[in-house]
């Protein structure tokens, strides 16, 4: 059945599903089990752990999910490049890491390590002594370091008052610690996900500052590479913008996903916290044939 003929899938009700969250396996503040516990507390029944370029926390999250009676989807969020822009692709992976994705995740970890060394060197010149060691202390886990770890190190060292200032002065675009990693091209990362039997989801397509036309080009290239879905709602956004994005997804035969992009408690994006999805004929990603059996939700589930 063509997507234009599908019945209404989202009814505008609050959802209890969140398919984009992070833990201490990458740059989140809670352990994978802690993320699951918070999801249960907040009424989220179906979730995906999608740490940056790793699946190291998935088994812990799945075990915690079984104990808590929640459905956990294995996942990851891959860093990629498209026309000089850093684009993230969420992989929802019911069969876990397989095939080309296994080597791909190793390559991503190596790229993150090289970038961390370069960031540390830049920040030491900017006044943060022993930058790598300080960032490692903030990470509190044996994993590749990310910019938030360096941001917390800058705060702890008293060089900036908060995380926002750390990015504004040291780690944002054009700042001393702005190191561009050599991420794979968008199409290559999508191919890894497909080879693993997963569903490739374009993460937060409204968060790149693209014009509608350029966003359409991104969606065109993503769909041409085999991408199957995009996040229709990621956090909080204007409902008119959501409806417009929904039209763009339908035009390209893409499914719709939802996710908070949760990283830490106390922020405005808690698990399951996001704008309501307006009534739309764009089918939810959990109805995709590769996910339907694992997630076990009906088309109009809320």
């Amino acid at each position: 059945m063509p997507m234009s003929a599908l019945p209404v899938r989202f009814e505008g009700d609050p959802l209890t599903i969140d398919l984009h969250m992070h833990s201490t396996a990458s740059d989140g503040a809670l352990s994978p089990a802690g993320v699951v516990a918070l999801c249960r507390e907040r009424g989220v029944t179906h979730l995906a752990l999608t740490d940056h370029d790793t699946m190291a926390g998935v088994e812990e999250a799945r075990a915690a999910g079984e104990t808590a009676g929640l459905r956990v989807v294995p996942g990851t969020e891959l860093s990629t490049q498209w026309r000089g822009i850093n684009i993230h692709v969420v992989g929802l992976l019911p069969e876990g890491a397989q095939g080309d994705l296994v080597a791909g995740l190793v390559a991503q970890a190596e790229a993150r390590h090289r970038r961390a060394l370069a960031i540390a060197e830049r920040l030491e010149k900017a006044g943060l002594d022993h930058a790598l060691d300080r960032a490692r202390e903030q990470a509190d886990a044996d994993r590749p370091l990310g910019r938030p770890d360096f941001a917390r190190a800058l705060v702890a060292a008293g060089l900036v008052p908060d995380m926002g200032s750390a990015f504004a002065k040291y780690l944002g675009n054009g700042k001393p610690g702005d190191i561009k990693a050599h991420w794979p091209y968008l199409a290559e990362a999508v191919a890894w996900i497909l080879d693993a039997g997963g569903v490739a989801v374009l993460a937060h397509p409204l968060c790149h500052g693209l014009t509608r036309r350029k966003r359409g080009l991104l969606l065109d290239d993503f769909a041409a590479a085999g991408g199957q879905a995009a996040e229709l709602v990621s956090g909080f956004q204007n409902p008119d913008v959501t409806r417009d994005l929904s039209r763009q997804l339908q035009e390209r035969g893409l499914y719709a996903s939802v996710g908070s992009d949760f990283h830490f408690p106390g922020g405005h994006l808690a698990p399951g916290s996001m704008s309501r999805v307006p009534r739309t004929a764009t089918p939810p990603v959990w109805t995709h044939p590769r996910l339907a059996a694992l997630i076990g939700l009906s088309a109009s589930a809320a």
Side-chain angles (χ1 to χ4, degrees), residues 15-17 36-46 70 271-272 302:
L15 297 172
T16 58
I17 183 167
V36 173
L38 184 57
C39 284
R40 184 183 184 190
E41 178 183 320
R42 292 187 53 81
V44 174
T45 59
H46 296 71
L70 306 187

Side-chain angles (χ1 to χ4, degrees), residues 100-292:
D100 294 338
L101 179 61
V102 176
L105 290 174
V106 171
Q108 296 290 82
E110 293 173 349
R112 283 189 171 273
H113 178 64
R114 289 192 297 269
R115 186 179 68 159
L117 294 176
I119 291 174
E121 183 178 354
R122 290 275 192 91
L123 292 183
E124 287 188 357
K125 292 179 181 178
L128 181 64
D129 295 333
H130 307 292
L132 193 68
D133 292 337
R134 288 174 181 261
R136 176 55 63 193
E137 291 174 0
Q138 297 300 319
D140 194 29
D142 185 18
R143 56 165 173 77
L145 298 173
R147 289 187 303 166
D149 301 311
F150 287 101
R152 286 187 283 267
L154 287 163
V155 174
L159 295 177
V160 291
D162 51 48
M163 295 277 286
S165 300
F167 277 88
K169 186 174 181 179
Y170 291 98
L171 295 163
N173 288 335
K175 304 304 178 182
D178 179 26
I179 301 295
K180 306 299 184 186
H182 297 291
W183 303 123
Y185 289 112
L186 179 70
E188 182 178 4
V190 169
W192 294 346
I193 295 169
L194 299 183
D195 191 57
V199 173
V201 181
L202 187 66
H204 36 69
L206 296 175
C207 296
H208 302 295
L210 303 178
T211 63
R212 187 183 193 279
R213 176 184 173 277
K214 195 162 186 180
R215 186 170 65 242
L217 295 175
L218 170 60
L219 290 168
D220 286 341
D221 288 349
F222 179 72
Q228 301 115 307
E231 288 179 351
L232 180 60
V233 170
S234 178
F236 297 103
Q237 58 198 54
N238 184 291
D240 291 334
V241 174
T242 304
R243 292 186 186 95
D244 185 52
L245 177 58
S246 178
R247 286 190 290 270
Q248 287 188 300
L249 300 190
Q250 290 177 57
E251 290 166 358
R252 293 160 178 85
L254 295 172
Y255 288 75
S257 189
V258 293
S260 63
D261 199 6
F262 169 73
H263 280 76
F264 57 91
H268 66 288
L269 294 176
S273 62
M274 63 192 84
S275 297
R276 292 189 177 191
V277 183
R279 289 175 61 91
T280 172
T282 310
V285 70
W286 53 84
T287 64
H288 189 283
R290 290 189 172 186
L291 297 176

